[in-house]
Amino acid sequence: MTSDSRTVVVTGIGAFTPLGADAASTWEGLVAGRSGVSLLEEEWAEDLPVRIAARTAVDPGEVLPRPLARKLDRSAQFAVIAAREAWADAGFTASATEEGSPVAPERLGAVVASGIGGVTTLLDQYDVLKEKGVRRVSPHTVPMLMPNSPAANVGLEVGARAGVHTPVSACASGAEAIGYAIEMIRTGRADVVVAGGTEAAIHPLPIVAFANMMAMSKNNEHPQEASRPYDKARDGFVLGEGAGVVVLESAEHAAARGARVYCEAVGQGLSSDAHHIAQPEPTGSGVARAIAQLLESSDVDPAEIVHVNAHATSTPQGDTAEIKALRRVLGDHLDHIAISATKSMTGHLLGGAGGIETVATVLALHHRVAPPTINVDDLDPEVDADIVIGEPRALPAEGRLTALNNSFGFGGHNVVLAFRTV
Amino acid sequence: MATQEEILEGLAEIVNEIAGIPTEDVQLDKSFTDDLDVDSLSMVEVVVAAEERFDVKIPDDEVKNLKTVGDAVNYIVANS
């Protein structure tokens, strides 16, 4: 086997989301069709056009010791919590820098991304500067707000010395991070990589800014029904927060240490639109090229694809463009593919979406169950595909299954990740 | 003016808040960096909190001389 064709597998998962403080409770919430969206009770939200969001189910301050939490932006707090879970889930008990570690730190990487980094730290510290003066601005501000902070802190946590990276591509960031990690292992730079996405942007400025782009749902009266991908009445996304992290590993390395394998991380397809800075290309041609590139660059068999965790953010244009792209590339195969829009339950975690949706995709293959899409009361007739509506659906009990996880971002970034049962 | 004992007690509370070290472990002979898990960034926080609590100015140039808790207590006693 050449070094550029090394098989990559998923050996650990972790999640800290609006549905639960770990991957198991998040999965339970997804399968139950539970919404994590609620009305924002904070005083600052009172006069905003959008007053709904999907907060994490548990406050990270309840999980992390205070001296650590106060040096981390909320996005890095989520990432560290999810990474700890994934690391332990993969069977690692200590930092790779400790003696006797099953992976050498020089063979371990960390790739964690967010869409807009430590935005709450930046804005909060500017408030401190204005209200309390120069001396009170935290000396931790820069290491907290820099976009690579979650990756760097996860790298410190697990002892990663093969490289710590942060590919930033708005709402495709988390997926791009996982794709980057797959390549790190495939090209031989690392044996194990902790990878995922995180986001913590529930703050008046980002909310107002997204709302002024006409990108967000303003359904403040019915928070749990606001995120409704594929429904005719969808009116924009609902902002969510949290993180999803996986441990990726070369199949050889995982086998050598007897690790439990969830599935294979087969590969990725990437493209960019060159269409508009924020609007999706309406025919889905960029997304179609990403899917086509995945099929050309990997041995994914379209006949084996049984599930897609769609990007589907609940915006009028984006949801249908993605379906058109899937139909264009996969043709009749799309008829046997169960499509789930889990953002109907978690809201849209921006750069965190690719992280938690990868965890959802891995668990869908592991349990052979596609989670439901909630709030589809009146399916948009333009959605010419098999959407899993209302209830979870069993995937084929036998045979090798492949699932895709789509993520797209402002700027025209398209990332498609493929996973397969082993 | 605060006594040496009161200053030690106050610093112990500050170090506990910032680094999570139990207050009883914050003793005069302890080094901030080596014993109390206070790195150079957190030391800035300790200094700012001490300035407010004890109404004293600790110039940036002086901070590097405050290696132990005792150094800080002595500086505050002499300058507040």
Side-chain angles (χ1 to χ4, degrees), chain A residues 72 75-84 86-87 95-96 108-113 148-161 163-165 193-198 243-247:
Chain A
L72 299 177
S75 63
Q77 294 175 0
F78 297 154
V80 165
I81 293 170
R84 282 181 176 179
W87 187 243
S95 163
L108 171 66
V111 190
V112 183
N148 54 314
S149 183
N153 279 291
V154 168
L156 281 168
E157 191 70 26
V158 298
R161 290 182 177 152
V164 168
H165 306 281
V193 182
V194 182
T198 185
V245 172
V246 292
V247 173

Short mmCIF file of all heavy atoms in Angstrom, two decimals, chain A residues 72 75-84 86-87 95-96 108-113 148-161 163-165 193-198 243-247:
data_model
loop_
_atom_site.label_atom_id
_atom_site.label_comp_id
_atom_site.label_asym_id
_atom_site.label_seq_id
_atom_site.Cartn_x
_atom_site.Cartn_y
_atom_site.Cartn_z
N LEU A 72 -10.53 30.44 27.67
CA LEU A 72 -10.99 29.95 26.37
C LEU A 72 -12.23 30.70 25.91
O LEU A 72 -13.17 30.88 26.69
CB LEU A 72 -11.35 28.45 26.46
CG LEU A 72 -10.26 27.47 26.86
CD1 LEU A 72 -10.85 26.06 26.95
CD2 LEU A 72 -9.11 27.48 25.87
N SER A 75 -16.29 29.18 21.90
CA SER A 75 -16.12 28.22 20.79
C SER A 75 -15.02 27.20 21.10
O SER A 75 -15.15 26.02 20.76
CB SER A 75 -15.82 28.95 19.48
OG SER A 75 -14.58 29.64 19.56
N ALA A 76 -13.96 27.65 21.75
CA ALA A 76 -12.88 26.73 22.12
C ALA A 76 -13.32 25.84 23.30
O ALA A 76 -12.90 24.67 23.39
CB ALA A 76 -11.62 27.50 22.48
N GLN A 77 -14.15 26.37 24.19
CA GLN A 77 -14.68 25.54 25.28
C GLN A 77 -15.45 24.35 24.70
O GLN A 77 -15.23 23.20 25.10
CB GLN A 77 -15.60 26.36 26.18
CG GLN A 77 -14.89 27.47 26.95
CD GLN A 77 -15.86 28.34 27.74
OE1 GLN A 77 -17.06 28.15 27.74
NE2 GLN A 77 -15.31 29.32 28.44
N PHE A 78 -16.33 24.64 23.74
CA PHE A 78 -17.10 23.56 23.11
C PHE A 78 -16.16 22.53 22.47
O PHE A 78 -16.34 21.32 22.60
CB PHE A 78 -18.02 24.10 22.00
CG PHE A 78 -19.09 25.05 22.44
CD1 PHE A 78 -19.59 25.99 21.56
CD2 PHE A 78 -19.61 25.00 23.73
CE1 PHE A 78 -20.61 26.87 21.95
CE2 PHE A 78 -20.62 25.88 24.12
CZ PHE A 78 -21.12 26.82 23.22
N ALA A 79 -15.16 23.05 21.74
CA ALA A 79 -14.25 22.17 21.00
C ALA A 79 -13.46 21.27 21.94
O ALA A 79 -13.30 20.07 21.69
CB ALA A 79 -13.30 22.99 20.13
N VAL A 80 -12.98 21.85 23.04
CA VAL A 80 -12.18 21.07 23.99
C VAL A 80 -13.05 19.98 24.64
O VAL A 80 -12.62 18.83 24.79
CB VAL A 80 -11.53 22.00 25.06
CG1 VAL A 80 -11.01 21.20 26.24
CG2 VAL A 80 -10.40 22.80 24.41
N ILE A 81 -14.29 20.33 25.00
CA ILE A 81 -15.17 19.33 25.62
C ILE A 81 -15.46 18.19 24.64
O ILE A 81 -15.35 17.00 24.99
CB ILE A 81 -16.51 19.99 26.07
CG1 ILE A 81 -16.25 20.98 27.21
CG2 ILE A 81 -17.50 18.92 26.52
CD1 ILE A 81 -17.46 21.86 27.54
N ALA A 82 -15.79 18.53 23.40
CA ALA A 82 -16.10 17.49 22.40
C ALA A 82 -14.86 16.67 22.06
O ALA A 82 -14.94 15.45 21.86
CB ALA A 82 -16.68 18.12 21.13
N ALA A 83 -13.69 17.34 22.02
CA ALA A 83 -12.45 16.63 21.70
C ALA A 83 -12.07 15.66 22.82
O ALA A 83 -11.61 14.55 22.56
CB ALA A 83 -11.32 17.63 21.45
N ARG A 84 -12.27 16.09 24.08
CA ARG A 84 -11.98 15.17 25.20
C ARG A 84 -12.83 13.91 25.10
O ARG A 84 -12.35 12.80 25.32
CB ARG A 84 -12.27 15.87 26.53
CG ARG A 84 -11.20 16.83 26.97
CD ARG A 84 -11.56 17.45 28.32
NE ARG A 84 -10.49 18.31 28.79
CZ ARG A 84 -10.55 18.99 29.93
NH1 ARG A 84 -11.62 18.91 30.70
NH2 ARG A 84 -9.52 19.74 30.31
N ALA A 86 -14.24 12.64 22.36
CA ALA A 86 -13.83 11.83 21.19
C ALA A 86 -12.52 11.09 21.47
O ALA A 86 -12.36 9.92 21.11
CB ALA A 86 -13.68 12.74 19.96
N TRP A 87 -11.60 11.78 22.12
CA TRP A 87 -10.28 11.21 22.45
C TRP A 87 -10.46 9.99 23.36
O TRP A 87 -9.89 8.92 23.12
CB TRP A 87 -9.46 12.30 23.12
CG TRP A 87 -8.02 12.00 23.39
CD1 TRP A 87 -7.42 11.93 24.62
CD2 TRP A 87 -6.98 11.74 22.43
NE1 TRP A 87 -6.09 11.66 24.49
CE2 TRP A 87 -5.77 11.53 23.16
CE3 TRP A 87 -6.93 11.67 21.04
CZ2 TRP A 87 -4.56 11.27 22.53
CZ3 TRP A 87 -5.71 11.40 20.41
CH2 TRP A 87 -4.56 11.20 21.15
N SER A 95 -2.68 12.46 27.30
CA SER A 95 -2.05 13.20 26.21
C SER A 95 -1.00 12.31 25.53
O SER A 95 -0.34 11.50 26.17
CB SER A 95 -1.38 14.45 26.76
OG SER A 95 -0.45 14.97 25.83
N ALA A 96 -0.85 12.51 24.21
CA ALA A 96 0.15 11.74 23.47
C ALA A 96 1.57 12.06 23.93
O ALA A 96 2.51 11.32 23.61
CB ALA A 96 0.00 12.00 21.97
N LEU A 108 0.54 12.75 15.55
CA LEU A 108 -0.82 13.15 15.92
C LEU A 108 -1.08 14.60 15.50
O LEU A 108 -0.28 15.49 15.79
CB LEU A 108 -1.00 13.01 17.44
CG LEU A 108 -2.30 13.57 18.05
CD1 LEU A 108 -3.52 12.80 17.56
CD2 LEU A 108 -2.22 13.53 19.57
N GLY A 109 -2.22 14.83 14.83
CA GLY A 109 -2.58 16.18 14.41
C GLY A 109 -3.90 16.62 15.02
O GLY A 109 -4.64 15.82 15.60
N ALA A 110 -4.20 17.91 14.87
CA ALA A 110 -5.50 18.45 15.29
C ALA A 110 -5.94 19.47 14.24
O ALA A 110 -5.17 20.36 13.88
CB ALA A 110 -5.41 19.10 16.66
N VAL A 111 -7.15 19.30 13.72
CA VAL A 111 -7.69 20.24 12.74
C VAL A 111 -9.11 20.59 13.18
O VAL A 111 -10.02 19.77 13.09
CB VAL A 111 -7.72 19.63 11.32
CG1 VAL A 111 -8.05 20.72 10.30
CG2 VAL A 111 -6.40 18.97 10.97
N VAL A 112 -9.27 21.76 13.71
CA VAL A 112 -10.58 22.19 14.21
C VAL A 112 -10.84 23.60 13.68
O VAL A 112 -9.95 24.45 13.72
CB VAL A 112 -10.63 22.18 15.75
CG1 VAL A 112 -12.02 22.57 16.24
CG2 VAL A 112 -10.24 20.81 16.30
N ALA A 113 -12.06 23.82 13.20
CA ALA A 113 -12.35 25.11 12.58
C ALA A 113 -13.67 25.68 13.07
O ALA A 113 -14.53 24.96 13.58
CB ALA A 113 -12.41 24.94 11.06
N ASN A 148 -7.75 30.19 15.06
CA ASN A 148 -7.09 28.90 15.26
C ASN A 148 -7.07 28.46 16.72
O ASN A 148 -6.50 27.42 17.05
CB ASN A 148 -5.66 28.95 14.72
CG ASN A 148 -4.85 30.09 15.31
OD1 ASN A 148 -5.35 31.22 15.38
ND2 ASN A 148 -3.64 29.83 15.74
N SER A 149 -7.70 29.26 17.59
CA SER A 149 -7.65 28.94 19.01
C SER A 149 -8.27 27.59 19.37
O SER A 149 -7.67 26.82 20.13
CB SER A 149 -8.32 30.07 19.82
OG SER A 149 -8.22 29.82 21.18
N PRO A 150 -9.46 27.24 18.84
CA PRO A 150 -10.00 25.91 19.17
C PRO A 150 -9.05 24.79 18.74
O PRO A 150 -8.81 23.84 19.50
CB PRO A 150 -11.32 25.86 18.39
CG PRO A 150 -11.74 27.29 18.29
CD PRO A 150 -10.45 28.06 18.10
N ALA A 151 -8.48 24.89 17.54
CA ALA A 151 -7.56 23.85 17.07
C ALA A 151 -6.33 23.78 17.97
O ALA A 151 -5.89 22.70 18.36
CB ALA A 151 -7.13 24.14 15.63
N ALA A 152 -5.79 24.96 18.30
CA ALA A 152 -4.57 25.00 19.12
C ALA A 152 -4.84 24.43 20.51
O ALA A 152 -4.01 23.68 21.06
CB ALA A 152 -4.06 26.43 19.21
N ASN A 153 -5.99 24.76 21.08
CA ASN A 153 -6.30 24.25 22.41
C ASN A 153 -6.58 22.75 22.41
O ASN A 153 -6.20 22.04 23.34
CB ASN A 153 -7.46 25.03 23.04
CG ASN A 153 -6.98 26.34 23.63
OD1 ASN A 153 -6.27 26.34 24.64
ND2 ASN A 153 -7.32 27.46 23.02
N VAL A 154 -7.21 22.26 21.35
CA VAL A 154 -7.41 20.81 21.24
C VAL A 154 -6.04 20.14 21.06
O VAL A 154 -5.75 19.11 21.66
CB VAL A 154 -8.36 20.47 20.07
CG1 VAL A 154 -8.34 18.98 19.75
CG2 VAL A 154 -9.78 20.92 20.40
N GLY A 155 -5.17 20.76 20.26
CA GLY A 155 -3.83 20.23 20.07
C GLY A 155 -3.05 20.14 21.38
O GLY A 155 -2.35 19.16 21.64
N LEU A 156 -3.19 21.18 22.22
CA LEU A 156 -2.54 21.17 23.54
C LEU A 156 -3.11 20.06 24.41
O LEU A 156 -2.39 19.38 25.14
CB LEU A 156 -2.78 22.52 24.24
CG LEU A 156 -1.92 23.70 23.81
CD1 LEU A 156 -2.49 25.00 24.37
CD2 LEU A 156 -0.47 23.50 24.27
N GLU A 157 -4.41 19.90 24.33
CA GLU A 157 -5.13 18.93 25.15
C GLU A 157 -4.65 17.50 24.86
O GLU A 157 -4.40 16.72 25.78
CB GLU A 157 -6.61 19.08 24.82
CG GLU A 157 -7.57 18.39 25.70
CD GLU A 157 -7.69 18.98 27.11
OE1 GLU A 157 -7.42 20.17 27.30
OE2 GLU A 157 -8.04 18.20 27.99
N VAL A 158 -4.52 17.15 23.57
CA VAL A 158 -4.18 15.76 23.21
C VAL A 158 -2.69 15.58 22.96
O VAL A 158 -2.21 14.45 22.89
CB VAL A 158 -4.99 15.27 21.99
CG1 VAL A 158 -6.49 15.29 22.30
CG2 VAL A 158 -4.68 16.09 20.73
N GLY A 159 -1.96 16.68 22.82
CA GLY A 159 -0.51 16.58 22.59
C GLY A 159 -0.16 16.37 21.14
O GLY A 159 0.66 15.51 20.80
N ALA A 160 -0.77 17.16 20.25
CA ALA A 160 -0.57 16.98 18.81
C ALA A 160 0.63 17.77 18.31
O ALA A 160 0.67 18.99 18.45
CB ALA A 160 -1.83 17.44 18.06
N ARG A 161 1.59 17.08 17.70
CA ARG A 161 2.79 17.75 17.18
C ARG A 161 3.03 17.51 15.69
O ARG A 161 4.03 17.96 15.14
CB ARG A 161 4.02 17.31 17.98
CG ARG A 161 3.98 17.87 19.40
CD ARG A 161 5.19 17.49 20.20
NE ARG A 161 5.12 18.11 21.53
CZ ARG A 161 5.68 17.61 22.63
NH1 ARG A 161 6.35 16.48 22.57
NH2 ARG A 161 5.56 18.24 23.77
N GLY A 163 0.99 18.68 13.48
CA GLY A 163 0.42 19.87 12.82
C GLY A 163 -0.94 20.17 13.39
O GLY A 163 -1.74 19.27 13.63
N VAL A 164 -1.19 21.46 13.62
CA VAL A 164 -2.49 21.92 14.10
C VAL A 164 -2.99 22.95 13.08
O VAL A 164 -2.27 23.90 12.77
CB VAL A 164 -2.36 22.56 15.50
CG1 VAL A 164 -3.62 23.31 15.88
CG2 VAL A 164 -2.04 21.49 16.55
N HIS A 165 -4.17 22.73 12.53
CA HIS A 165 -4.62 23.54 11.40
C HIS A 165 -6.07 24.00 11.55
O HIS A 165 -6.86 23.36 12.22
CB HIS A 165 -4.49 22.75 10.10
CG HIS A 165 -3.12 22.21 9.87
ND1 HIS A 165 -2.08 22.99 9.40
CD2 HIS A 165 -2.59 20.98 10.08
CE1 HIS A 165 -0.98 22.25 9.33
NE2 HIS A 165 -1.26 21.03 9.74
N VAL A 193 -5.63 11.95 13.74
CA VAL A 193 -5.94 13.38 13.74
C VAL A 193 -7.29 13.60 14.43
O VAL A 193 -8.27 12.91 14.13
CB VAL A 193 -5.99 13.98 12.32
CG1 VAL A 193 -6.27 15.49 12.38
CG2 VAL A 193 -4.67 13.75 11.57
N VAL A 194 -7.31 14.53 15.36
CA VAL A 194 -8.54 14.93 16.02
C VAL A 194 -9.11 16.10 15.22
O VAL A 194 -8.42 17.11 15.04
CB VAL A 194 -8.27 15.36 17.48
CG1 VAL A 194 -9.57 15.73 18.19
CG2 VAL A 194 -7.55 14.24 18.24
N ALA A 195 -10.34 15.95 14.71
CA ALA A 195 -10.83 16.95 13.76
C ALA A 195 -12.30 17.26 13.96
O ALA A 195 -13.08 16.40 14.34
CB ALA A 195 -10.62 16.44 12.33
N GLY A 196 -12.65 18.51 13.66
CA GLY A 196 -14.07 18.85 13.76
C GLY A 196 -14.33 20.34 13.61
O GLY A 196 -13.49 21.09 13.13
N GLY A 197 -15.53 20.73 14.02
CA GLY A 197 -15.93 22.13 13.89
C GLY A 197 -16.63 22.60 15.15
O GLY A 197 -17.20 21.80 15.90
N THR A 198 -16.56 23.91 15.38
CA THR A 198 -17.18 24.48 16.56
C THR A 198 -17.67 25.89 16.23
O THR A 198 -17.17 26.51 15.28
CB THR A 198 -16.18 24.52 17.73
OG1 THR A 198 -16.85 24.99 18.91
CG2 THR A 198 -15.00 25.45 17.45
N ALA A 243 -20.26 22.05 19.22
CA ALA A 243 -19.11 21.47 18.51
C ALA A 243 -19.31 19.98 18.28
O ALA A 243 -19.99 19.31 19.05
CB ALA A 243 -17.83 21.68 19.31
N GLY A 244 -18.71 19.50 17.20
CA GLY A 244 -18.65 18.06 16.93
C GLY A 244 -17.23 17.72 16.50
O GLY A 244 -16.63 18.43 15.70
N VAL A 245 -16.69 16.65 17.08
CA VAL A 245 -15.29 16.29 16.84
C VAL A 245 -15.20 14.78 16.62
O VAL A 245 -15.91 14.01 17.27
CB VAL A 245 -14.41 16.71 18.05
CG1 VAL A 245 -12.99 16.18 17.93
CG2 VAL A 245 -14.39 18.24 18.18
N VAL A 246 -14.35 14.39 15.68
CA VAL A 246 -14.10 12.96 15.48
C VAL A 246 -12.60 12.69 15.60
O VAL A 246 -11.78 13.59 15.40
CB VAL A 246 -14.58 12.47 14.09
CG1 VAL A 246 -16.10 12.51 14.01
CG2 VAL A 246 -13.97 13.28 12.95
N VAL A 247 -12.27 11.45 15.94
CA VAL A 247 -10.88 11.01 15.87
C VAL A 247 -10.75 10.17 14.61
O VAL A 247 -11.47 9.18 14.43
CB VAL A 247 -10.48 10.19 17.11
CG1 VAL A 247 -9.08 9.60 16.93
CG2 VAL A 247 -10.54 11.05 18.36
#
